[in-house]
């Protein structure tokens, strides 16, 4: 039988898990209000009065921002180390400052996770989570049960959602491609042409070509996605369907694409990749995706498990995979060997070779 101390610890943990969503909502609130940028604009720690004054200049409402509400929200975010606080004796007020966490939320920083936060915590993307238990019992996909469409068709029919979703994907692409370029820079040697399958608006392929001007870049995605892609002289935007055909090139790269799909669909995509890549020593597929470590203690291992459930909620059969699961998919698609390269990010790099 559990001791009284163990039962109390168990109760404590359940309360924490139950209200984990509060942390997310407080974080979203700070991003929506632009609190990190307000603090950063002063170049120093700021008082609540200064934050409120800044908010007054950005609101069109005749009412005043509620300092009590924001103070309570900031108290939780300070506890969560999103912001720092200290009591200033001179002003007799609490002053707030940025932390290494909130510096990832600045709109003018090189890497900014705010668009991803706003996308993932958008009510349209939160609704499918309410259908998880239903799908466990009955099957089906949470997003489709919530909205009547799969996420890609929903984005096609809803331009505002499509823009929000693309912005979220773009900001993660910028962070991940930086990790790829720093830790895999030799991996692009000998590649004359590179297709980014599911490349969105072209953020990743553009950065790769900038760093490797010898590469001719092809950004490949669904027509409605590339319609919003900016023009770049070294990038060709091609609309199409990766389940039907993929443009031929020396190599193919896919970032966070495979985890959107179930095993059967992934094999179809991988077989099309195999057809598009030359059967030479330089022909390869570069997959930038998560490799699950269910019992790992690395900095992103728990986040990987969270992403796995995110795929369940939003994608039609999508999931994150262990190395053994990746090996099976690649072998079933014709790739006889692969190599894993760890990078300081949620995903890793999987190089798959045609021979």
């Amino acid at each position: 039988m559990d001791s009284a101390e163990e039962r109390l610890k168990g109760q404590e943990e359940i309360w924490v898990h139950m209200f984990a969503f509060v942390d997310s909502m407080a974080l979203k609130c700070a991003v929506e209000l632009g609190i990190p940028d307000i603090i950063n604009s002063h170049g120093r720690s700021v008082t609540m009065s200064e934050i409120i004054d800044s908010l007054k200049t950005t609101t069109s409402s005749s009412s005043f921002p509620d300092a009590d509400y924001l103070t309570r929200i900031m108290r939780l975010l300070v506890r969560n180390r999103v912001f720092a606080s200290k009591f200033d004796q001179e002003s007799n007020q609490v002053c707030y400052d940025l932390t290494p966490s909130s510096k990832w939320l600045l709109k003018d920083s090189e890497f900014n996770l705010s668009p991803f936060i706003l996308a993932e915590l958008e009510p349209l993307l939160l609704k499918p989570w309410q259908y998880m238990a239903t799908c466990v019992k009955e099957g089906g996909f949470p997003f489709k049960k919530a909205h009547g469409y799969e996420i890609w068709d929903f984005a096609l029919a809803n331009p505002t959602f499509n823009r929000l979703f693309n912005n979220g994907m773009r900001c993660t692409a910028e962070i991940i491609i930086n990790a790829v370029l720093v830790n895999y820079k030799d991996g692009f040697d000998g590649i004359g042409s590179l297709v980014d399958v599911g490349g969105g608006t072209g953020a990743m392929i553009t950065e790769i070509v900038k760093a490797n001007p010898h590469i001719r870049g092809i950004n490949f995605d669904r027509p409605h996605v590339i319609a919003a892609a900016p023009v770049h002289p070294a990038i060709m935007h091609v609309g199409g369907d990766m389940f039907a055909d993929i443009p031929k090139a020396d190599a193919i790269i896919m970032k966070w694409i495979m985890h959107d799909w179930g095993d059967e669909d992934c094999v179809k995509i991988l077989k099309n990749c195999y057809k598009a890549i030359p059967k030479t020593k330089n022909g390869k597929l570069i997959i930038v995706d998560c490799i699950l470590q269910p019992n790992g203690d690395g900095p992103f291992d728990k986040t990987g498990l969270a992403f796995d459930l995110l795929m369940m909620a939003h994608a039609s059969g999508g999931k994150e995979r262990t190395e053994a699961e990746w090996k099976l998919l690649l072998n079933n698609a014709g790739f006889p060997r692969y190599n894993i390269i760890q990078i300081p990010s949620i995903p890793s790099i999987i190089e798959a070779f045609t021979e």
Side-chain angles (χ1 to χ4, degrees):
M1 181 178 292
D2 294 340
S3 67
E5 182 179 352
E6 288 171 329
R7 285 187 284 113
L8 181 61
K9 181 64 175 177
Q11 180 191 165
E12 172 198 340
E13 291 175 351
I14 291 299
W15 281 110
V16 170
H17 297 322
M18 187 191 317
F19 288 114
F21 76 94
V22 178
D23 294 337
S24 299
M25 292 299 104
L27 180 62
K28 181 188 180 187
C29 176
V31 170
E32 289 180 321
L33 293 173
I35 302 302
D37 294 304
I38 289 173
I39 296 174
N40 190 56
S41 68
H42 286 78
R44 54 172 173 78
S45 59
V46 297
T47 65
M48 180 56 65
S49 298
E50 290 174 312
I51 295 175
I52 292 297
D53 286 342
S54 294
L55 287 175
K56 288 177 184 177
T57 65
T58 61
T59 179
S60 59
S61 172
S62 58
S63 58
F64 292 102
D66 193 310
D68 177 63
Y69 274 13
L70 186 55
T71 298
R72 291 155 63 186
I73 292 165
M74 292 294 286
R75 181 169 58 191
L76 176 62
L77 292 173
V78 168
R79 173 67 181 256
N80 289 343
R81 298 187 296 279
V82 176
F83 298 104
S85 70
K86 62 181 180 181
F87 187 79
D88 182 64
Q89 297 286 349
E90 185 175 335
S91 64
N92 200 35
Q93 292 189 64
V94 173
C95 291
Y96 300 93
D97 212 340
L98 299 174
T99 66
S101 295
S102 46
K103 288 177 182 177
W104 283 88
L105 306 177
L106 298 172
K107 66 181 181 181
D108 293 329
S109 64
E110 184 179 6
F111 304 116
N112 174 15
L113 277 169
S114 290
F116 195 68
I117 290 171
L118 296 177
E120 289 302 330
L121 299 180
E122 155 68 32
L124 289 169
L125 283 181
L126 290 176
K127 187 176 180 181
W129 292 97
Q130 305 298 323
Y131 292 82
M132 298 283 276
T134 300
C135 289
V136 169
K137 292 187 292 185
E138 302 174 1
F141 305 123
F143 191 94
K144 190 170 184 178
K145 284 188 179 293
H147 298 295
Y149 298 89
E150 294 186 4
I151 190 168
W152 316 116
D153 295 327
F154 188 85
L156 179 60
N158 294 268
T160 300
F161 173 79
N162 187 49
R163 185 164 51 253
L164 181 73
F165 186 80
N166 282 340
N167 286 340
M169 295 304 101
R170 187 184 300 113
C171 83
T172 61
E174 292 168 351
I175 293 168
I176 293 170
I177 191 54
N178 178 70
V180 171
L181 289 173
V182 170
N183 297 275
Y184 186 68
K185 55 186 177 181
D186 295 337
F188 298 107
D189 292 346
I191 296 176
S193 57
L194 178 67
V195 178
D196 185 358
V197 174
T201 55
M204 182 165 73
I205 192 67
T206 298
E207 292 305 312
I208 291 174
V209 170
K210 282 181 181 177
N212 300 273
H214 64 279
I215 291 178
R216 178 173 60 88
I218 302 169
N219 181 49
F220 181 67
D221 212 311
R222 297 181 72 178
H224 77 275
V225 176
I226 65 166
V231 175
H232 189 282
I235 305 297
M236 177 189 300
H237 297 290
V238 178
D241 181 357
M242 62 187 173
F243 290 102
D245 191 46
I246 290 173
K248 288 180 169 52
D250 294 338
I252 290 172
I253 189 167
M254 293 191 290
K255 177 192 72 68
W256 269 353
I257 300 301
M258 303 300 288
H259 73 171
D260 290 329
W261 304 96
D263 292 346
E264 184 176 340
D265 284 330
C266 280
V267 171
K268 290 179 183 177
I269 298 168
L270 289 171
K271 284 183 175 180
N272 285 337
C273 290
Y274 185 85
K275 292 176 186 176
I277 302 171
K279 309 307 179 281
T280 66
K281 65 179 181 179
N282 288 332
K284 63 181 174 181
L285 169 63
I286 306 164
I287 300 172
V288 185
D289 225 315
C290 181
I291 300 176
L292 280 183
Q293 302 284 349
N295 300 312
D297 58 0
F300 298 111
D301 286 341
K302 184 177 179 180
T303 303
L305 294 174
F307 261 94
D308 183 42
L309 295 194
L310 181 70
M311 293 303 103
M312 188 189 304
H314 293 165
S316 302
K319 61 180 180 180
E320 306 295 354
R321 295 174 170 89
T322 62
E323 181 179 348
E325 290 172 317
W326 279 113
K327 181 179 180 180
L328 183 60
L329 287 182
L330 292 168
N331 288 344
N332 287 342
F335 292 93
R337 62 187 180 93
Y338 68 92
N339 182 40
I340 293 176
I341 300 168
Q342 303 290 342
I343 59 175
S345 186
I346 295 172
S348 299
I349 294 172
I350 307 170
E351 289 182 313
F353 301 94
T354 56
E355 60 173 26

